[in-house]
Amino acid sequence: MERVYNFAAGPATIDQSVLEKARKELVCYQDKGMSVMEMSHRSAMYLDIYNETEALLRQLMGIPDNYKVLFLQGGATLQFSAVPLNLMGEKNSADYADTGNFAHLAAEEAKKYGEVRIAASSREDGYTFIPRQFDWNPDAAYAYITTNNTIYGTRYTFVPDTGSVPLVADMSSNILSEPTDVSKFGVIFAGAQKNIGPAGLCVAIIREELLGQEKPFTPKLLSWALEAKNGSMLNTPNTYGIYMAKLVFEWLRDLGGVPAVYERNVAKAAILYDYLDESRLFRSPVHREDRSLMNVPFVTGNADRDAAFVKYAAARGLVNLKGHRSVGGMRASIYNAMPVEGVKALVDVMKAFEKENA
C-alpha cells in the first residue's frame, strides 16, 4: 500500500528514510548480532547509541556545556509535575502564561505543589493569539511558557524577558523546527512524538545550576538531579525510542541542521496560509502574527462541511485532518517530516473541494 500524507498532531509522521533505516537495522543492528530492542541499556554497544544521540542533539540545538540533556519517560505531560517538584523550592510559587490547552493543564498540575500565578492569558479569547504583555513576578521560582500550541495553532515568535527568573519552556510541538537560543532558558522539555521520534520519550535540557532543588517528597524518577547523576538511567530508559531519536537527528543533520529545516518549514507554512488567506471557503482562526509553523487549524464555518472535507481528503490519501475534539474544524500538522509535496497536495485537495462546494 502506498504511504499516505499523515497530518496527525502526534504521534506524527516520520520521514520515510528514517523508517527504512530502522527497518533495515531492526533485526540486527550493524554487526552487533541483535536488535537495539534486545540490548542491555548498560552495555557498551547501547551506550554508544545513547552518547551519539545526545551529541547530535547538542550539535543541532547548540546546547551549551553547562546544560544537562536527559532522555526521560512519561512524555511531556509527566514534566507538568516534574517542573514544580524540581524548581519551586522554598519560594513555592511560579508564574505561568496560559496560552493554550497544554499550558493550562501544566498550570493546573503545578497548583498541587505550590502557588501558581497566571502572568498572561489568551484563554478568554479562545487561545487565538500570544499575549505581548506579561506580569512576571521577580520573586517567582520560575516562569513557564508553551512555545507552540498544538491544538490552537499559535506560537511564540519571541522569547519573553523574565529577568533573573529561570524560564521554563514546553517545546513539544516545535522543538528542532526553528533556531533556539538555549541559553535564554533555564529548562526546555519536549515530548518526542512530533519532531523527535516515537511516543513515550521526553527530552529535557536543564541548566546545571537548577538541579538539586527538588522537594523532599519528589519521586526519585521525577528528580532531574538523580536522572542527571545516573545518565538518564535511574531505571531502564526507552532504549528504542532513544535510538529512533538518533536516526531522526541524523536525518536533520544531513538536511543541513535546524536553520535549513526552518527555511523549509517557513516555505511549507506559507503555501498553506497563502491559500487560506485567499480562499472563500476555508479560513484560519489564528491571529496572523502568531500563526504556528507546525500546526495549522482551519475551518469552513459549518461543522457538517468540515466533516465532509475531512472524509473527502482522506479518500485522496490525506489523513488525520480532523481538528481537536475541543475546537472542531480541521488541523494540518506539518512538522519537520512533512514534505512540501504533502502541503501542496493538501492545498490542491482544498481547492478542488472549494470548487465543488462553491
Side-chain angles (χ1 to χ4, degrees):
M1 180 178 177
E2 187 175 345
R3 278 175 63 82
V4 298
Y5 288 120
N6 177 15
F7 292 92
T13 190
I14 296 174
D15 187 79
Q16 187 169 339
S17 67
V18 172
L19 296 174
E20 288 174 349
K21 186 170 184 180
R23 177 174 63 179
K24 181 181 178 181
E25 297 180 335
L26 178 62
V27 174
C28 185
Y29 176 74
Q30 297 181 358
D31 61 351
K32 306 305 180 185
M34 67 179 74
S35 170
V36 174
M37 282 188 274
E38 301 172 286
M39 293 179 183
S40 165
H41 60 294
R42 301 194 185 280
S43 66
M45 67 180 83
Y46 184 75
L47 289 175
D48 285 344
I49 292 173
Y50 182 96
N51 292 332
E52 288 172 24
T53 307
E54 179 179 338
L56 282 163
L57 182 60
R58 286 186 177 276
Q59 175 187 346
L60 286 166
M61 293 188 68
I63 299 172
D65 291 340
N66 63 325
Y67 284 73
K68 292 291 187 181
V69 173
L70 305 179
F71 294 101
L72 307 172
Q73 300 183 66
T77 302
L78 193 58
Q79 297 305 305
F80 294 174
S81 302
V83 168
L85 285 169
N86 282 274
L87 294 181
M88 273 193 173
E90 294 181 355
K91 291 185 175 181
N92 214 40
S93 70
D95 286 358
Y96 279 67
D98 184 0
T99 56
N101 178 68
F102 295 109
H104 184 78
L105 292 176
E108 289 299 302
E109 183 67 16
K111 289 178 182 178
K112 296 177 181 178
Y113 308 106
E115 179 186 356
V116 169
R117 293 177 65 256
I118 302 302
S121 177
S122 54
R123 184 173 175 81
E124 291 186 0
D125 295 280
Y127 295 131
T128 57
F129 69 96
I130 297 295
R132 294 302 193 273
Q133 300 296 322
F134 300 86
D135 180 24
W136 300 120
N137 177 6
D139 295 321
Y142 63 89
Y144 184 106
I145 64 172
T146 303
T147 53
N148 187 84
N149 296 296
T150 317
I151 294 175
Y152 297 91
T154 61
R155 71 174 177 122
Y156 281 78
T157 57
F158 60 95
V159 178
D161 182 3
T162 58
S164 61
V165 176
L167 180 60
V168 177
D170 176 355
M171 292 191 180
S172 292
S173 54
N174 71 332
I175 194 169
L176 294 165
S177 69
E178 57 186 289
T180 299
D181 184 350
V182 174
S183 68
K184 292 185 176 181
F185 299 87
V187 177
I188 293 170
F189 68 90
Q193 67 272 19
K194 304 173 191 296
N195 271 334
I196 295 175
L201 179 68
C202 180
V203 171
I205 303 164
I206 304 163
R207 193 184 301 142
E208 289 180 353
E209 66 187 35
L210 298 176
L211 296 172
Q213 303 178 35
E214 65 267 30
K215 291 180 178 292
F217 53 82
T218 301
K220 68 178 184 179
L221 288 179
L222 291 183
S223 166
W224 293 337
L226 282 177
E227 288 286 9
K229 182 179 179 181
N230 288 273
S232 300
M233 295 188 185
L234 198 55
N235 68 334
T236 306
N238 184 343
T239 54
Y240 198 76
I242 293 168
Y243 157 76
M244 286 296 297
K246 180 178 85 78
L247 298 188
V248 171
F249 296 161
E250 289 172 343
W251 169 71
L252 285 173
R253 177 200 60 198
D254 294 345
L255 279 179
V258 174
V261 81
Y262 173 61
E263 288 186 16
R264 192 171 87 154
N265 288 333
V266 169
K268 285 190 307 186
I271 292 169
L272 184 48
Y273 284 124
D274 286 350
Y275 168 68
L276 287 170
D277 289 340
E278 69 181 30
S279 172
R280 299 179 64 182
L281 178 62
F282 300 99
R283 68 176 182 86
S284 166
V286 178
H287 288 212
R288 188 171 305 209
E289 64 271 21
D290 298 324
R291 288 173 170 176
S292 171
L293 299 178
M294 298 286 96
N295 310 100
V296 184
F298 56 98
V299 296
T300 67
N302 180 290
D304 291 337
R305 189 176 291 155
D306 290 350
F309 172 75
V310 171
K311 291 181 180 179
Y312 182 90
R316 288 154 180 80
L318 284 72
V319 303
N320 291 317
L321 283 164
K322 184 178 180 180
H324 191 271
R325 60 187 178 276
S326 64
V327 295
M330 287 79 66
R331 173 179 53 180
S333 293
I334 52 175
Y335 299 118
N336 287 348
M338 174 58 65
V340 66
E341 292 80 9
V343 179
K344 289 178 177 178
L346 173 58
V347 169
D348 287 344
V349 168
M350 293 170 75
K351 287 179 177 177
F353 185 83
E354 180 171 359
K355 186 175 180 180
E356 293 177 22
N357 291 268

